[in-house]
Amino acid sequence: MITTNLRVNSNSGKGVWRANPFLSNSDDFRKALTQELDSLSTSRTTTSLSPQVQWDSLKQKIKQLSHHHPINSTQIKVIEGEIANIQQTYMDNLALRASIQWLEDGEKSAGLLKRITSARMNERSIPPLQHPETQEIGSSLTHLYNSVCSFYGTLYSPTPISSAAVDDLLEHFPPIGRFSQEVLDTLVAPITIDELNVQVARCLKKSRPGLDGLPYQILELIFKHEGTQELIKQTYNNALDNAIFPESWSQTCLCLLPKKGDLSLLKNWRPIALTNVDCKIFTRIINSRMISLADVIINRYQTGFVHGRYIADNGMLVRLIMDHAHRTNRSDIALLLDGDKAYDWLHPDYLHRVLLHYGFPSSLVSCIMGLFFGSQIKINVNGHLSPPISQQRGVRQGDPLSPLLFNFTIEPLLQRILHDQDFIGYGISSSFPDKEGPAPAKLLSYADDTLVFLNNSHDLQLCLQHLDTYAAASNTKINFEKTHAIFLSGNSSATWIQELAAHDIHSWHNHNSTSALVYLGYPLY
């Protein structure tokens, strides 16, 4: 007899549990779920617990049911079919990219698929990290925990803002017509089951759930159960009217995705917040109500996350301006600003002031503030969840409402530049002396990706002043080391280069550059 002991060394944890979405297609599971919901609906009439506690308790019981429910042979066949489809898609795409003209029917390279999976795992696996305070690099779980908690604990802790800067920023914001009472009433109207079901139906079914692990497919079954609908309406309307939320809504899992640069530095990882699906549905409802007013508030040069505006317009307009600058041999430049973790730095007091300034109902503003700030974040470190840290500033990347909120907060800065009479921008004089030419192009923006057109060094000074005011008011920062300039005509200027270098802007592009400057996916060259 020979005995062998195998010891597996792995730094990967089990991650966050997720219910199998295919359970929603199982008749056995649907029947068991209905029985569980019927039982909970009956017991609810005798309890004195708040709707929020009852809702979290219901989710916990459904989680246990999903966790222990077996998968039958029919479901396994469906899952195997889905896996086969994914394998075939991978192979077809790889064959096309490799210019292979043939594939043997039914043959799939298990080794190739394994390498693809391993490569993806390695891409998302957090390597040894540099501690932001001690600068030491380590790979132990304790070191990784200490590093991420130190970095994100500091990132999500606000620093004082200047009330005078906020006043100055909003004072120069052009007045907008107050919304009618009818419009305001629609923002805070009671949430109905039909509205909830519409938002569930519109959600991406492949979206990852939060810490409770319940996907949209199972939540949809709960929403359609008549015995739970009254509890659901109370839970969601208490959140809207009184900013009283289930405890699970304040718990978020942070998933880190790699960006460019040295991955031992946490600043080169993008934090994506995985909130629970029922919380996402709530913010989707708020977003669908507020987005109808975005076109009134947000200037036409901001094309991000506003209905009827398209990212392609930005690329086309820059291309037209560059063609005109080339033909007329202009010396103007464009500055592509790099916001340093723009979503994460946003100060809650500034967001609060801005939303009230626009005229949104105070109850809605209080609801948003209570939902986004003070939540507990656990960071997924290679499958291990870190100790919780408190989020006291920043809007969650990955939340349906965050892009719109950020647009509202950056709008005063954009309006300040647009309405600065001393700021020239890129102007095109009319070909006809008796007719007025088009308004000068001063900026283009898609969320925080902002391109500013500068006519001369005075424009640069004004731009920097406006950015300083915005930073003092909101906590956000501009990373000038990653800010890029492009000479619109292609011809560089020693004067401009010297001026840019004086402000730590050393990356610039002209017709001699070996690569294009990429703006929103569009190569500018």
Side-chain angles (χ1 to χ4, degrees), residues 319-332 426 487-491 511 525:
R319 184 70 262 172
L320 291 172
I321 289 176
M322 292 176 65
D323 288 342
H324 182 272
H326 179 69
R327 291 197 308 270
T328 56
N329 197 26
R330 295 274 292 266
S331 61
D332 307 53
Y426 191 93
F487 293 93
L488 296 174
S489 68
N491 298 318
H511 68 274
Y525 59 91

Side-chain angles (χ1 to χ4, degrees), residues 354-368:
V354 167
L355 293 179
L356 290 179
H357 181 79
Y358 291 149
F360 288 109
S362 58
S363 62
L364 179 62
V365 176
S366 298
C367 169
I368 293 172

